[in-house]
Amino acid sequence: MSTSPPLHSGTTNSRARQNILIVGCGIAGPVLATLLLSSPQSVARLPQVTILERNTAALGSGQNIDIRGIGKHIINILGLTDEIKETTTGEEGVKIVDANNRIWAQYAADKTGKVETGTSDVEILRGRLAEILLGKAKRVSKDVEARGGAGIEFVFNDTIEHLDQDDDKVHVRLTKAGERSYDLVVGSDGLHSRTRQLAWGQAQDGCLKQLEMYGAFFSTKKEAADGEWRSWYHSPRGMSVMLRPSGTKDKSTMLVLLADKSGAIAREMRGSERDVVLQKRLVLEKLNGIFWQESRLKDAVRAADDFYFDCTAQVKLEKWSKGRVVLLGDAGHCASPFSGMGTTLALAGAYHLAGSLISHPDQHDLAFEQYEENMRPLVTKAQKLAPGMPHLFHPQTFWGACLLRIFCAAIYWSSIINLLSRFKGPPAQVRKFKQYDFVVKKEI
Ligand SMILES: Cc1cc2nc3c(=O)[nH]c(=O)nc-3n(C[C@H](O)[C@H](O)[C@H](O)COP(=O)(O)OP(=O)(O)OC[C@H]3O[C@@H](n4cnc5c(N)ncnc54)[C@H](O)[C@@H]3O)c2cc1C
Ligand SMILES: *[C@@H]1O[C@H](CO)[C@@H](O)[C@H](O)[C@H]1NC(C)=O
């Protein structure tokens, strides 16, 4: 039943190497794996890591995401700054437009990265970032294997269906790979984390705080008029659309936000969270009479092979670990796309968790405690959304939408925006954070 590494004879031998299961190869998962294999310990002492991912490959989908503050430091530690900067979306800033494409306000990005605005100076497509991070983990794994270590085992197209733990081990059952035992299990499986459900059971009920808003992400053929700015159009009935550059010549990205205060969408979606046909139908219905780029939007929804639809929500848990199981990224503390911080938190979490585990190799409880201590303040700040987000930005009536544009224009003209961004306090801008001795090999 057990596939423990040979060094591990099933006893708590503190000299044996740990085996760690990471569930979810999105953003946080591959970074954690990379950093766990980048400790200064001898290769024989490095943990044996398994990454489990339910998709067949790193998903190429997902749209524009921001990397801010501490996230940029971590990308740097991983040696990926250049690779990432080569494929950023190049967004110049945000324009608030009306149905006739008139600009009511515009906020430029600060390309120096000193001031955090709606557009970060590092914006990248999520799928692209996931691919880059997975690529790094694969290269580090190969390198460790070449030096006689265990490296990373990648188990894709599979999922976790059972989990229980005793004092020494976590026992899991994967749908295809069967039963296995690990010293530690990390749930980096996103907002709807299965790991969280399995390990916490009813104790996690209610931890998902709905923001009563759904988001549909997809791409569309780029048109000449799209330009390099984000256009944000608000329609009455609690909807908005963002059209954004993708960093490529042929593609623009779309985000449709749908307010769901009545809970009608939630009821329709229940039990069909992965039914893309149903999701597309629902979004198409809502796009009727949106007035702005309606036929283009609809064609794009129909044609999209990277359509991604989900609720927006935050995850709030009192503690991110339970025995030998720990949560990372959105699984533990999703802040929602409105925070602009999900990816940065996922990176920071992977960094602190890896660092804590390396600092306390034989005391996972201490490591988990330290990880949480370092991450909590960042998470608490990121989960405080800007005043009025998201519903103030999604008025239900025609006049509400007009008022919102006037409000944005007023802010723009009086440059209160600078004050506001100071008030919100860019949560990612931590200048001091705990350092660990990672040794990430330089690549050319
Ligand atoms: C397809 C997709 C598109 C997204 N698009 C956007 C976007 O456009 N804008 C935005 O702000 N945020 C988006 N997000 C969320 C964003 O990626 C996260 O907020 C952030 O990057 C935190 O990353 P994470 O690694 O914690 O979680 P995620 O990036 O959500 O990664 C979780 C990973 O776990 C995998 N997984 C889930 N359940 C299981 C299971 N049972 N077994 C095995 N593997 C599992 C998923 O397939 C995924 O690869 C998207 C997420 C996904 C999955
Ligand atoms: C993924 O798994 C399914 C069965 O669960 C199988 O039909 C499919 O071929 C697999 N895909 C790949 C790429 O291995």
Side-chain angles (χ1 to χ4, degrees):
M1 147 178 163
S2 163
T3 55
S4 309
L7 271 175
H8 225 293
S9 49
T11 59
T12 30
N13 175 356
S14 66
R15 300 200 59 82
R17 72 170 148 225
Q18 279 184 314
N19 66 341
I20 301 178
L21 172 66
I22 301 175
V23 184
C25 191
I27 306 300
V31 175
L32 177 68
T34 298
L35 291 175
L36 283 173
L37 295 192
S38 305
S39 96
Q41 287 173 347
S42 76
V43 90
R45 294 271 291 141
L46 292 178
Q48 179 181 36
V49 177
T50 301
I51 297 192
L52 173 72
E53 167 59 50
R54 73 174 171 202
N55 288 310
T56 47
L59 256 201
S61 73
Q63 308 300 345
N64 314 47
I65 51 170
D66 318 329
I67 303 178
R68 298 172 185 269
I70 182 173
K72 289 186 251 179
H73 292 286
I74 293 159
I75 290 301
N76 207 22
I77 291 167
L78 292 168
L80 295 174
T81 303
D82 292 343
E83 196 175 346
I84 284 172
K85 288 221 159 154
E86 264 164 37
T87 49
T88 49
T89 62
E91 185 171 293
E92 296 286 344
V94 188
K95 287 176 185 169
I96 309 282
V97 299
D98 66 14
N100 299 315
N101 238 358
R102 264 188 312 228
I103 299 163
W104 284 70
Q106 60 184 51
Y107 313 111
D110 177 36
K111 299 277 175 174
T112 66
K114 289 205 183 85
V115 183
E116 298 285 352
T117 69
T119 300
S120 169
D121 61 313
V122 188
E123 296 256 347
I124 182 170
L125 297 190
R126 179 195 173 276
R128 202 46 212 117
L129 180 63
E131 265 168 29
I132 291 175
L133 297 174
L134 174 59
K136 180 75 193 184
K138 283 184 172 164
R139 295 196 298 276
V140 168
S141 171
K142 274 217 178 93
D143 175 64
V144 168
E145 278 169 34
R147 292 188 283 132
I152 304 170
E153 181 198 12
F154 295 90
V155 180
F156 276 48
N157 200 15
D158 202 351
T159 182
I160 182 168
E161 56 182 38
H162 179 81
L163 179 154
D164 66 70
Q165 54 178 321
D166 51 41
D167 289 344
D168 298 329
K169 290 275 178 186
V170 190
H171 310 284
V172 299
R173 188 171 66 245
L174 313 185
T175 306
K176 290 177 200 160
E179 300 197 334
R180 294 171 165 217
S181 299
Y182 291 91
D183 295 308
L184 303 174
V185 171
V186 181
S188 53
D189 43 354
L191 181 59
H192 306 284
S193 172
R194 187 96 185 97
T195 310
R196 186 180 70 220
Q197 291 164 13
L198 291 172
W200 269 253
Q202 284 181 345
Q204 61 103 52
D205 289 356
C207 76
L208 202 78
K209 311 282 181 212
Q210 293 288 348
L211 295 174
E212 299 176 327
M213 182 153 295
Y214 280 73
F217 306 83
F218 49 97
S219 36
T220 175
K221 215 166 155 263
K222 186 165 180 138
E223 293 180 3
D226 291 351
E228 303 309 317
W229 282 72
R230 170 182 355 172
S231 299
W232 193 2
Y233 167 73
H234 294 83
S235 106
R237 294 182 292 134
M239 278 173 71
S240 77
V241 182
M242 287 184 196
L243 172 69
R244 310 181 66 174
S246 73
T248 67
K249 282 197 199 69
D250 53 322
K251 229 171 62 169
S252 289
T253 69
M254 297 277 197
L255 164 61
V256 178
L257 288 165
L258 304 170
D260 188 36
K261 286 207 149 170
S262 70
I265 302 180
R267 280 190 295 278
E268 207 170 328
M269 280 300 121
R270 197 155 298 143
S272 11
E273 282 79 7
R274 303 193 79 197
D275 184 345
V276 178
V277 177
L278 179 78
Q279 294 168 355
K280 282 192 173 184
R281 200 177 62 219
L282 189 136
V283 173
L284 285 171
E285 260 166 40
K286 298 276 174 189
L287 286 173
N288 281 329
I290 185 160
F291 301 123
W292 186 75
Q293 310 228 16
E294 184 173 327
S295 56
R296 179 186 183 190
L297 273 162
K298 286 181 172 169
D299 289 345
V301 168
R302 289 190 196 101
D305 54 9
D306 62 353
F307 187 86
Y308 172 67
F309 183 80
D310 203 351
C311 63
T312 62
Q314 296 195 324
V315 173
K316 295 196 171 170
L317 276 173
E318 261 168 46
K319 198 162 179 260
W320 296 326
S321 61
K322 204 170 178 109
R324 294 176 167 271
V325 181
V326 66
L327 299 175
L328 175 64
D330 278 6
H333 50 66
C334 183
S336 89
F338 306 111
S339 71
M341 283 291 289
T343 304
T344 300
L345 292 180
L347 294 170
Y351 171 82
H352 284 302
L353 182 55
S356 305
L357 285 169
I358 286 171
S359 310
H360 307 284
D362 304 312
Q363 294 165 284
H364 65 274
D365 33 6
L366 206 64
F368 292 168
E369 225 168 82
Q370 195 188 79
Y371 152 67
E372 191 149 342
E373 216 167 87
N374 283 305
M375 277 302 290
R376 270 291 169 189
L378 207 58
V379 168
T380 306
K381 240 178 150 178
Q383 287 190 330
K384 282 203 188 94
L385 299 180
M389 267 303 205
H391 287 282
L392 192 67
F393 282 84
H394 290 87
Q396 296 289 335
T397 62
F398 173 75
W399 290 110
C402 291
L403 264 178
L404 174 68
R405 277 183 212 112
I406 294 169
F407 172 72
C408 290
I411 292 183
Y412 168 54
W413 291 108
S414 59
S415 70
I416 299 175
I417 190 73
N418 295 332
L419 272 178
L420 265 185
S421 65
R422 216 170 294 156
F423 168 62
K424 196 196 163 211
Q429 292 294 57
V430 269
R431 290 207 167 67
K432 277 205 321 210
F433 54 90
K434 200 173 160 67
Q435 308 286 319
Y436 311 95
D437 335 306
F438 296 119
V439 192
V440 184
K441 215 172 123 190
K442 288 260 177 307
E443 301 169 294
I444 329 123

